[in-house]
Amino acid sequence: MEITIIGLPQSGKTTIFNAATRGSAQVATFANRMNLGAAKVPDERLDMLNGIFNPKRKVNAEVTYADLPAAPEGLGKTQSIGGEYLNTLQRADAILMVARAFEDPSVPHVADSIDAFRDIDTLLFELTISDLDILERRLQRVSEGFKSAKTAERDALNKEQALLTRVRDDLEAGVHVRDQSLNEDELRHLSGFQMLTSKPLVVVVNVGEDQLDDIAPIESRLANEIQTDRIRTAALCGKLEMELAQMESDEEQEFRESLGVVGESGLSRVVNLSYEALDLISFMTVGDDEVRAWTIERGTPAVKAAGKIHTDLERGFIRGEVVTFDNMVSCRTLAEARKSGVLRQEGKNYVVQDGDIMHVLFNV
């Protein structure tokens, strides 16, 4: 899973990248290369299982973040998004948008004033313009295709033209693709275009250290004005979270308490919001060698989840032995879970639940 970070120049997106990945990418005004980093998905359940099984290693699920450099043509100038910049965004599973709320005279804002919600609207508009360009180009090709199309082909072209025109009209009315009323066949057809407003989105407002008391009201406004089922929002101090991410966990916790910055770390917050936006869950495998969390989409059947572990497990799937996390903690071993009758035998169509512990029986 890869999430690409975008923002206007001087928004602090590389700082957010460092906070999310515990990275040390250079925070420069005119960085011209993409930073890549992985963040381990925090999961207390995995930590507890690690304590029970005492394996050789513990493997958290991971999220990859790509910190995209400034677009050559400059975001926020209604010139649309093109070239490799667009290609990178289209490959992303989700987009993380950073908007600046902090004041810093030494780092002037491109608009000469600070307004995070204005910047969010600007960035959303740029994504919309990009999608409209994609639709217009495809509609032009569809129109040209009518000239040489046979009767059977015309029916397909008419259907596509009607769909793309409806999506375009909704976009022009301000309804992003992710929020439009589209059935499964229509979504499947549109997926090939990788439109940016169809992707899950995380919006982060980057505040200054002197604005920590403003986080709650900012997040309330974000929830009211921006957040939807597939858009998650947060406000955090990127500079502070980046510094805290470089500390050992005990030192970080002590420093947070001294500052009154309680709750999730910036790393955990961004990663968990990314999971929510993508509607992802984790299931676990356990043993003497390792305990590991695996990332799947909500609603994934057992046979497909097994394929996340290894393709052979999907190909030769017989059944899954499944126990809930709570029952595993109570029983302590798979043998005891089996003896207690809480280790279930599930077929390939069983929908794996968040926190399930699964052992796959297979034959190839």
Side-chain angles (χ1 to χ4, degrees), residues 44-317:
E44 292 181 354
R45 299 169 303 185
L46 196 67
D47 296 337
M48 292 179 68
L49 292 171
N50 187 61
I52 292 171
F53 287 88
N54 194 28
K56 294 177 182 176
R57 63 176 183 162
K58 179 188 72 169
V59 184
N60 291 67
E62 289 190 345
V63 179
T64 299
Y65 288 94
D67 171 30
L68 207 56
E73 66 277 11
L75 275 178
K77 299 180 180 178
T78 64
Q79 297 180 22
S80 186
I81 300 170
E84 185 56 32
Y85 196 95
L86 174 60
N87 292 337
T88 301
L89 282 173
Q90 288 181 314
R91 290 193 297 268
D93 297 300
I95 295 172
L96 194 161
M97 179 183 294
V98 178
R100 173 180 173 178
F102 65 88
E103 297 274 0
D104 186 345
S106 67
V107 186
H109 191 287
V110 290
D112 296 323
S113 63
I114 305 297
D115 185 336
F117 286 84
R118 174 202 60 203
D119 293 349
I120 292 168
D121 287 342
T122 296
L123 290 165
L124 290 174
F125 183 65
E126 290 289 348
L127 300 183
T128 299
I129 291 297
S130 175
D131 284 354
L132 287 171
D133 283 350
I134 291 170
L135 288 169
E136 289 296 350
R137 288 196 296 270
R138 179 58 189 170
L139 281 166
Q140 179 65 32
R141 287 195 289 271
V142 169
S143 179
E144 292 171 354
F146 277 112
K147 299 174 183 177
S148 58
K150 298 177 181 178
T151 302
E153 295 171 333
R154 283 178 172 272
D155 290 340
L157 288 172
N158 277 319
K159 186 176 180 180
E160 181 177 10
Q161 186 179 57
L163 170 62
L164 298 183
T165 299
R166 173 158 57 89
V167 172
R168 181 198 62 192
D169 291 347
D170 282 351
L171 263 178
E172 289 178 340
V175 183
H176 297 150
V177 175
R178 72 175 72 82
D179 298 322
Q180 294 184 21
S181 299
L182 299 163
N183 62 40
E184 289 188 10
D185 287 340
E186 291 170 337
L187 288 170
R188 192 177 301 112
H189 183 82
L190 292 173
S191 66
F193 300 111
Q194 287 292 315
M195 287 189 286
L196 303 186
T197 67
S198 71
K199 295 181 180 295
L201 179 66
V202 178
V203 176
V204 173
V205 171
N206 187 11
V207 306
E209 292 182 68
D210 59 343
Q211 297 172 297
L212 297 180
D213 291 340
D214 297 333
I215 286 178
I218 290 173
E219 291 195 332
S220 177
R221 184 178 173 188
L222 285 167
N224 290 330
E225 298 182 15
I226 307 295
Q227 187 161 304
T228 66
D229 287 344
R230 297 189 70 206
I231 300 179
R232 288 294 181 265
T233 60
L236 55 86
C237 178
K239 183 174 183 293
L240 177 60
E241 293 293 347
M242 179 179 69
E243 293 169 353
L244 290 169
Q246 307 305 317
M247 298 179 180
E248 295 296 332
S249 57
D250 291 345
E251 183 185 7
E252 177 187 350
Q253 186 60 36
E254 182 179 340
F255 196 52
R256 282 184 181 280
E257 291 174 359
S258 70
L259 293 172
V261 184
V262 296
E264 285 183 301
S265 68
L267 182 155
S268 297
R269 190 84 188 281
V270 172
V271 170
N272 287 332
L273 288 171
S274 303
Y275 248 54
E276 290 177 17
L278 284 157
D279 202 18
L280 300 175
I281 62 172
S282 294
F283 75 96
M284 287 82 162
T285 52
V286 297
D288 294 333
D289 287 336
E290 71 173 24
V291 295
R292 181 189 286 254
W294 303 88
T295 300
I296 55 173
E297 293 182 5
R298 194 181 303 278
T300 298
V303 64
K304 293 295 183 183
K308 286 285 185 177
I309 303 171
H310 197 284
T311 53
D312 283 351
L313 272 65
E314 179 178 356
R315 185 159 55 92
F317 186 94

